[in-house]
Amino acid sequence: MNQISNLFPKSWRNLHFIVLVFFSILLLFGGKNITEPASRLIISSFYYPFFKIKNFMVEMSAVAAENDLLREQLVSASTRIAELEEEARGTERLRSLLGVDPPAGYSLVPAKVISVTYDGALPVSAVINRGARDTVAVDQPVVNQSGLIGRITDVLGNFSVVQLLTDPANRVAARIAETREMGIVKYKTNEGLILDNFPVQGKIHEGDLIVSSGLGGVYVAGLTVGTVLEIIRPDDAQFCKIILDPAANFGSLEELFILRPVNK
Amino acid sequence: MTRYIPFVIYLLLIAMYEVIWRDFTVLYLIAINVPAMLVVIVAIYKSELTAAWFGFLAGMVLSAGNPGGMGWQALLLAAIGIAVFHLREKLNLESIYSKVLLIAGAVLLHNLMSILINDLNRILFLTWSYCLPSAVYTSLVAWLFFLFKEKKVTLENIKSVF
């Protein structure tokens, strides 16, 4: 081919131009019979791979946009689920509160915990949203659906301070629900809730229910304080050490009830 | 046969630009005229016949989506290839700016002729609003291309700036 072109360079060039013009005329005046097959051939060989790539890019872009939207919806749905779960927990708690019956001669004043004061791991006092305007008075016992919580120690117009069982300064005259033997419940920072002043020869077993005895005039008799967790009987001591499992969970105080005497 | 591979790649480049890159590079409806630019570059560095045939095929590839204008486009780009080759013979093309100017002229001519073929009524408006800006935009891209091709700017230069 090159030899021919070298022999007749001028003619070879002209021949090329003639062929080129011929093809151009063919494309110009050949009509659809010529141009459309050529167009199809070019599109399928040159354009098709890029159409595929562009289509993929468009799809990926749409997928990315959809992904963003779904992620946004997921966050929104997760937040809503968390809200609903919290509401469900609140409903469950309130439902359990419906079963709380006051002791005879007392009515229940519902209250919400506004704040708590800690001294170590557990709170020692709580501020509730009921006060003198709700006829709340000092030394009224405070309970929740699980059992005894503490007593009112300070009263303001709309607020009161509750001294919790977990305050080491608090004492509750208590007895074993089954055997009626008595002791004093108090909280020690290192040991937790304990039943003190209980003689070593007294009848007590692990799992026994401890209730308030009503002695002392502050706490009504029969309020659940806790259950016996562990009994330690030292050989050379008069009293045994009884560790209690508190009935109420002092780490999650929310809705409480003040026991108000009916005649007041 | 392998000597044709670069030209096939250039034709694929035209198709790729038209399908993928055009949308990303259009500025206020002004696009880069890649086919005309490539035809001029081929005409500057290759033979007359190569420029003519490459122009012819580039025109066919460019107008594949509009078969009615295929003949005109093929003829027009082939003519531009031949014309640029002959201008190159007569001009001093050592300077990058002369090459860029050649590209600007060729793109302007191609745009004008394309409009003349399709839409004669709005020729003045389109010349001002499309043909000239497109020629400037393409020349800018061509200038960057020549800076790299003739090693006026290298990756080392760019790295040394930072």
Side-chain angles (χ1 to χ4, degrees):
Chain A
M1 206 73 154
N2 283 340
Q3 284 169 341
I4 299 168
S5 63
N6 290 339
L7 277 174
F8 311 102
K10 194 81 176 171
S11 308
W12 182 250
R13 176 178 170 272
N14 290 343
L15 181 68
H16 268 278
F17 285 141
I18 288 164
V19 172
L20 201 143
V21 170
F22 170 75
F23 278 134
S24 298
I25 289 168
L26 211 61
L27 288 172
L28 279 169
F29 304 107
K32 288 181 180 178
N33 292 337
I34 303 289
T35 54
E36 283 191 353
S39 166
R40 268 198 298 275
L41 181 72
I42 291 168
I43 286 174
S44 61
S45 51
F46 285 95
Y47 282 86
Y48 185 70
F50 301 115
F51 283 142
K52 292 284 277 184
I53 291 170
K54 179 148 194 193
N55 195 33
F56 177 74
M57 283 163 66
V58 169
E59 276 179 10
M60 286 305 286
S61 161
V63 165
E66 195 182 355
N67 206 10
D68 285 346
L69 184 70
L70 288 173
R71 195 172 288 136
E72 203 173 290
Q73 285 175 348
L74 180 67
V75 170
S76 169
S78 301
T79 312
R80 184 77 189 122
I81 287 169
E83 282 173 12
L84 289 172
E85 280 176 351
E86 180 58 22
E87 277 179 27
R89 280 193 289 272
T91 307
E92 193 59 38
R93 216 169 40 243
L94 292 170
R95 191 172 286 146
S96 68
L97 292 177
L98 290 174
V100 177
D101 289 323
Y106 286 86
S107 66
L108 295 173
V109 179
K112 263 191 161 311
V113 173
I114 295 168
S115 72
V116 289
T117 308
Y118 279 83
D119 181 20
L122 287 172
V124 291
S125 68
V127 177
I128 56 172
N129 67 341
R130 299 286 179 210
R133 290 202 179 92
D134 306 291
T135 64
V136 173
V138 170
D139 280 345
Q140 285 177 346
V142 179
V143 297
N144 71 359
Q145 70 276 23
S146 304
L148 184 63
I149 297 294
R151 67 188 180 105
I152 303 289
T153 52
D154 205 358
V155 179
L156 295 164
N158 289 318
F159 306 100
S160 303
V161 179
V162 181
Q163 183 187 37
L164 305 175
L165 281 191
T166 45
D167 185 344
N170 204 348
R171 301 280 188 276
V172 181
R175 65 169 84 237
I176 298 160
E178 195 68 26
T179 61
R180 313 307 288 169
E181 292 201 47
M182 296 189 293
I184 292 174
V185 172
K186 62 184 178 186
Y187 185 83
K188 280 191 174 176
T189 312
N190 297 332
E191 296 169 5
L193 199 65
I194 60 163
L195 180 67
D196 208 6
N197 284 28
F198 194 84
V200 282
Q201 66 273 23
K203 289 179 182 171
I204 188 164
H205 305 98
E206 283 176 10
D208 280 354
L209 184 69
I210 308 295
V211 296
S212 57
S213 66
L215 299 174
V218 175
Y219 297 105
V220 191
L223 299 174
T224 308
V225 176
T227 50
V228 176
L229 198 66
E230 191 182 351
I231 306 158
I232 301 160
R233 296 176 196 269
D235 295 333
D236 55 348
Q238 266 190 308
F239 301 106
C240 48
K241 189 192 269 182
I242 298 159
I243 296 167
L244 302 181
D245 180 21
N249 180 2
F250 290 92
S252 65
L253 297 175
E254 214 163 350
E255 284 95 10
L256 304 177
F257 294 99
I258 303 155
L259 291 178
R260 185 174 56 190
V262 173
N263 58 353
K264 284 196 179 176
Chain B
M1 203 66 180
T2 51
R3 65 183 171 146
Y4 296 116
I5 290 172
F7 301 104
V8 174
I9 291 170
Y10 298 154
L11 294 176
L12 282 167
L13 203 67
I14 293 171
M16 186 172 80
Y17 175 76
E18 293 297 323
V19 175
I20 298 171
W21 291 108
R22 193 186 177 89
D23 291 345
F24 298 110
T25 54
V26 161
L27 293 175
Y28 300 102
L29 301 176
I30 310 300
I32 305 167
N33 192 335
V34 172
M37 186 175 79
L38 282 175
V39 169
V40 174
I41 290 169
V42 167
I44 288 172
Y45 293 105
K46 302 288 175 183
S47 69
E48 183 188 23
L49 287 179
T50 308
W53 278 112
F54 179 73
F56 180 82
L57 292 172
M60 283 182 76
V61 169
L62 176 65
S63 56
N66 174 28
M70 193 178 269
W72 284 115
Q73 284 292 350
L75 196 60
L76 181 58
L77 282 174
I80 286 173
I82 295 164
V84 169
F85 173 81
H86 285 283
L87 273 171
R88 162 197 124 174
E89 298 285 286
K90 291 179 175 59
L91 295 172
N92 168 28
L93 286 185
E94 289 302 309
S95 153
I96 285 178
Y97 296 107
S98 57
K99 290 173 190 165
V100 170
L101 209 63
L102 205 56
I103 285 182
V107 170
L108 187 64
L109 181 70
H110 180 238
N111 288 344
L112 271 171
M113 293 303 287
S114 298
I115 289 165
L116 271 173
I117 294 162
N118 295 315
D119 193 356
L120 196 59
N121 295 329
R122 301 197 309 158
I123 180 80
L124 279 175
F125 170 72
L126 288 172
T127 303
W128 177 249
S129 65
Y130 182 78
C131 296
L132 275 169
S134 171
V136 172
Y137 190 10
T138 310
S139 306
L140 207 68
V141 175
W143 176 62
L144 290 173
F145 168 79
F146 285 121
L147 282 179
F148 276 98
K149 178 151 189 353
E150 310 216 337
K151 295 191 169 51
K152 303 277 183 195
V153 174
T154 59
L155 282 176
E156 281 70 31
N157 291 147
I158 295 168
K159 278 178 190 169
S160 67
V161 172
F162 301 101

